[in-house]
Amino acid sequence: MNSSSPLAERMRPTTLEEYVGQKHIIGEKTFLFSSLKEGRIPSMILWGPPGVGKTSLAELISKECKRPFYALSAINSGVKDIRNIIEKAKNPNLFKNGSAILFIDEIHRLSPVVEEYLYSAMEDFKIDILIESGPNARSVQINLNPFTLIGATTRSGLLTAPLRARFGINSRLEYYDTKLLSQIIDRSAGILEVPIEYAAASEIAGRSRGTPRIANALLRRVRDFAQIKGDGNISISIAKYALEAL
């Protein structure tokens, strides 16, 4: 990845092999793993607490299958935004490797109008567009290229039953244990080009509340302490000092 990219983006895994944890979803004996190997991606819901890798996993799925990837947030997206992306994805040059992936973050916050709009788009790959207004208004049905919808949410209980029923996979991402977080911290330290002791990585991992996003944020702050208060290396003593200060 380009060194000029934002740091948080560079810390994200770039392949499924680099993605740590969540083996109950992407492990070799799972339905998702089999689907990816066959080149099929069913629509899916990824749910779990903030910062555990839902967006990263969705992006890696698109890379694994070499599919175009479009991301929206349900908070500020309307019918027009989704329609524009679906129309953009109709470019035949983008479909050499199959259908595009539409990723919607915080999908439980979709407006009812947008949600109903997605029903026919997901099931029949068709949408109804209202042309003109008033007494001359008429509905025109447009065929769509097939696409896969991946929704991410922290509140799966707020998904409506009709929307939930249209997804082929419903997977919960879990919190990480200290060992897995230590692996993530060690990799991120390499990206930051800062040496770190194993004990220091474990100390940071133990303070990260099971969340990779928090672990990486703490690592960056500890790195600052190591550069100012120490010799630039993250030892167990500098890690404890920094974390106590924070």
Side-chain angles (χ1 to χ4, degrees), residues 23-242:
K23 294 304 180 185
H24 63 292
I25 298 177
I26 59 174
E28 293 187 6
K29 296 182 179 180
T30 64
F31 178 64
L32 177 57
F33 179 88
S34 301
S35 298
L36 293 176
K37 290 305 177 185
E38 294 174 8
R40 296 182 294 103
I41 313 176
S43 291
M44 68 186 76
I45 285 287
L46 302 175
W47 63 281
V52 293
K54 297 184 292 295
T55 301
S56 294
L57 181 55
E59 291 178 347
L60 293 178
I61 287 171
S62 72
K63 288 182 180 179
E64 179 76 12
C65 295
K66 299 180 176 61
R67 304 290 174 82
F69 182 82
Y70 302 95
L72 289 174
S73 171
I75 298 173
N76 52 18
S77 297
V79 171
K80 183 178 179 181
D81 300 297
I82 293 177
R83 185 193 306 164
N84 287 342
I85 283 184
I86 292 175
E87 287 297 315
K88 186 190 300 183
K90 292 181 75 171
N91 183 340
N93 294 326
L94 297 176
F95 282 80
K96 296 176 181 177
N97 297 304
S99 59
I101 291 178
L102 172 58
F103 174 73
I104 301 181
D105 198 16
E106 298 299 332
I107 194 170
H108 66 275
R109 298 186 64 174
L110 281 177
S111 71
V113 174
V114 176
E115 184 175 316
E116 292 179 10
Y117 177 86
L118 282 174
Y119 291 164
S120 60
M122 291 176 67
E123 288 192 322
D124 305 318
F125 302 119
K126 296 179 180 179
I127 55 174
D128 294 313
I129 296 179
L130 192 65
I131 297 179
E132 299 184 12
S133 59
N136 296 323
R138 64 186 190 279
S139 179
V140 175
Q141 192 171 77
I142 297 178
N143 293 323
L144 303 173
N145 281 318
F147 69 97
T148 296
L149 179 62
I150 300 180
T153 176
T154 55
R155 307 283 299 277
S156 66
L158 296 182
L159 291 174
T160 63
L163 181 62
R164 187 196 299 271
R166 285 171 168 81
F167 289 92
I169 298 178
N170 189 328
S171 297
R172 181 183 189 275
L173 277 72
E174 299 175 347
Y175 283 112
Y176 286 67
D177 61 26
T178 300
K179 182 179 179 181
L180 291 175
L181 283 177
S182 296
Q183 295 179 30
I184 293 172
I185 291 169
D186 187 65
R187 174 184 175 274
S188 297
I191 294 172
L192 293 173
E193 299 181 349
V194 54
I196 185 169
E197 295 179 359
Y198 177 79
S202 296
E203 184 71 20
I204 297 171
R207 310 282 191 106
S208 301
R209 302 199 295 277
T211 307
R213 182 183 296 162
I214 296 175
N216 283 328
L218 288 178
L219 173 64
R220 293 198 294 269
R221 301 291 73 78
V222 173
R223 183 270 314 266
D224 296 340
F225 275 86
Q227 292 176 341
I228 296 172
K229 296 292 186 179
D231 58 3
N233 298 323
I234 301 179
S235 63
I236 182 61
S237 58
I238 199 70
K240 287 184 175 180
Y241 176 82

